[in-house]
Amino acid sequence: RPEDARGALEHVFSVQPADERVRERLRTLYAATGADRELAVILLADAEATADVPARFEALRRAGELLVRSGDPGAALTPLVAAYDLKSDDHELTIALVDAYTATGAHAEAGQLLEVAIAAQGKRRTPELATLQHRMAKLAGAAGARETEFEWYKVALDSDKNNGDIAADLADLS
């Protein structure tokens, strides 16, 4: 019953925020209970406290993803952009940043990021390319460009014919 331990663990953390054992237990508790926003706050503090670039990148990326998932894409932009500054070629990060930009109405930024990422994929048809094209379709839909949305869904499905999410979205749009 992890919820029963939450209050006490949060109190200990407030008294001893630098204790790594307490931080780890709190991260585990938040992950187990789906407390995405709270876990993101801990991860942001972890990112701030480390000089290790890969660890900082991972904490920033994960915190941003959790904030998007928790319904606060505006708050997710800061850690996601900081992570992108550290490593701009990470596929998962690109998807999370595009989702945050799209959800906040920053369609131009999302489109620009997708164009760069799609161009970097080359002409190979891969599941990663399909995911980027899928996001381009969603972006077109968010901007109200239904014909463009339809075309991007078709292109994405051509890139990965086994992707059920793309096929379902295309069917819904049709």
Side-chain angles (χ1 to χ4, degrees), residues 37 44 63-82 96-106:
R37 175 171 273 296
L44 290 172
E65 289 173 343
L66 289 167
L67 288 168
V68 169
R69 192 167 69 194
S70 72
D72 195 355
L77 285 174
T78 300
L80 290 173
V81 168
L97 187 52
V98 165
D99 288 347
Y101 278 142
T102 302
T104 59

Side-chain angles (χ1 to χ4, degrees), residues 2-153:
E3 278 297 323
D4 293 346
R6 182 173 174 166
L9 195 52
E10 286 175 336
H11 173 71
V12 171
F13 177 70
S14 71
V15 176
Q16 300 177 0
D19 187 324
E20 183 53 39
R21 292 175 303 162
V22 173
R23 293 167 73 91
E24 180 56 37
R25 288 191 181 174
L26 198 51
R27 281 191 295 269
T28 302
L29 173 82
Y30 287 154
T33 60
D36 292 341
R37 175 171 273 296
E38 293 84 352
L39 180 54
V41 170
I42 297 288
L43 290 170
L44 290 172
D46 291 347
E48 188 68 31
T50 187
D52 180 42
V53 174
R56 180 175 171 77
F57 167 81
E58 187 59 33
L60 289 168
R61 183 187 61 77
R62 192 158 165 237
E65 289 173 343
L66 289 167
L67 288 168
V68 169
R69 192 167 69 194
S70 72
D72 195 355
L77 285 174
T78 300
L80 290 173
V81 168
Y84 190 81
D85 290 342
L86 294 174
K87 187 176 179 187
S88 62
D89 63 347
D90 186 83
H91 179 73
E92 290 178 30
L93 171 65
T94 300
I95 296 301
L97 187 52
V98 165
D99 288 347
Y101 278 142
T102 302
T104 59
H107 297 160
E109 290 84 350
Q112 193 172 46
L113 190 60
L114 281 168
E115 287 173 4
V116 169
I118 289 170
Q121 291 287 318
K123 295 187 186 262
R124 297 178 308 124
R125 292 182 178 177
T126 64
E128 291 80 18
L129 176 61
T131 303
L132 295 167
Q133 293 165 332
H134 188 203
R135 287 309 194 280
M136 190 65 94
K138 289 181 178 241
L139 177 61
R146 294 292 173 223
E147 188 62 34
T148 304
E149 179 184 15
F150 184 74
E151 291 303 317
W152 275 110
Y153 277 129

